[in-house]
Amino acid sequence: MAHWVNGREGYIMELIRHEGHGDYTTREACHGHRECTFELEYRCRDCFGTELYCKDCMVERHRDNPLHRIKHWNGHYFKDTTLKYLGLRIQLGHPVGEKCFNQSRAFDDDFVILDINHVHEVALDFCECSCAQSHTTQILRARLYPATCSDPKSAATFRLLQHFQMLTFESKVSAFKYWQTLARLTDNTGIKPCKVSMLYVYES
């Protein structure tokens, strides 16, 4: 501990450094791909590293990770945003990156996915091809557990359900406390309440 106290200033400076551009202070253009010359504005909170990308490159890099949390540099500080807001759509019933020519959007284009670190509002499309499975089956095959069997508007990831199960075994945490924790991880200010009520957790 005494050794750490002597170097604590360096720890503090590195933590503060993460609140700004860091190594990208002097870089003006995105390096997401060779032809990209757009401004650096977005950082992922869940990817390894602190790279900054433009909007298009950030969306393209997250087609395989649509539940990552994104921050946008507004000129003064990083502000929370979503991949849905940036234009990313999740296509069910097809391999990742494959376009469906007969898709239908989730009801009101307002689908919510609960994961272990966030309540995500996503843009989700179902496949309506002649060989398509039911909407519920498409959700399940994406390793999501739908909140209802009829016109689902929300789902939980399999890993969230497994995480909750382990916590109940080890710490006896209640569904209410787990939901409260998830809601605070999403927005700890209480200004923007989560759209999904804790009833989902009880029914699951």
Side-chain angles (χ1 to χ4, degrees), residues 21-52:
H21 274 197
D23 292 332
Y24 296 85
T25 302
T26 58
R27 185 181 295 181
E28 297 181 356
C30 176
H31 288 184
H33 57 83
R34 291 182 180 179
E35 292 78 20
C36 186
T37 58
F38 294 110
E39 188 176 352
L40 296 162
E41 294 183 288
Y42 299 93
R43 171 182 290 165
C44 179
R45 294 174 60 187
D46 298 313
C47 286
F48 185 80
T50 59
E51 287 79 3
L52 291 172

Side-chain angles (χ1 to χ4, degrees), residues 40-95:
L40 296 162
E41 294 183 288
Y42 299 93
R43 171 182 290 165
C44 179
R45 294 174 60 187
D46 298 313
C47 286
F48 185 80
T50 59
E51 287 79 3
L52 291 172
Y53 296 99
C54 68
K55 173 183 174 181
D56 292 343
C57 288
M58 184 60 76
V59 169
E60 192 61 35
R61 293 176 66 88
H62 282 84
R63 296 199 182 278
D64 291 338
N65 295 293
L67 300 183
H68 278 193
R69 298 167 296 172
I70 308 300
K71 283 187 170 289
H72 173 235
W73 180 256
N74 64 8
H76 303 283
Y77 57 90
F78 281 105
K79 185 177 181 180
D80 289 336
T81 186
T82 66
L83 286 166
K84 176 184 179 180
Y85 181 79
L86 299 187
L88 179 66
R89 303 199 66 84
I90 301 173
Q91 177 64 60
L92 300 185
H94 290 266

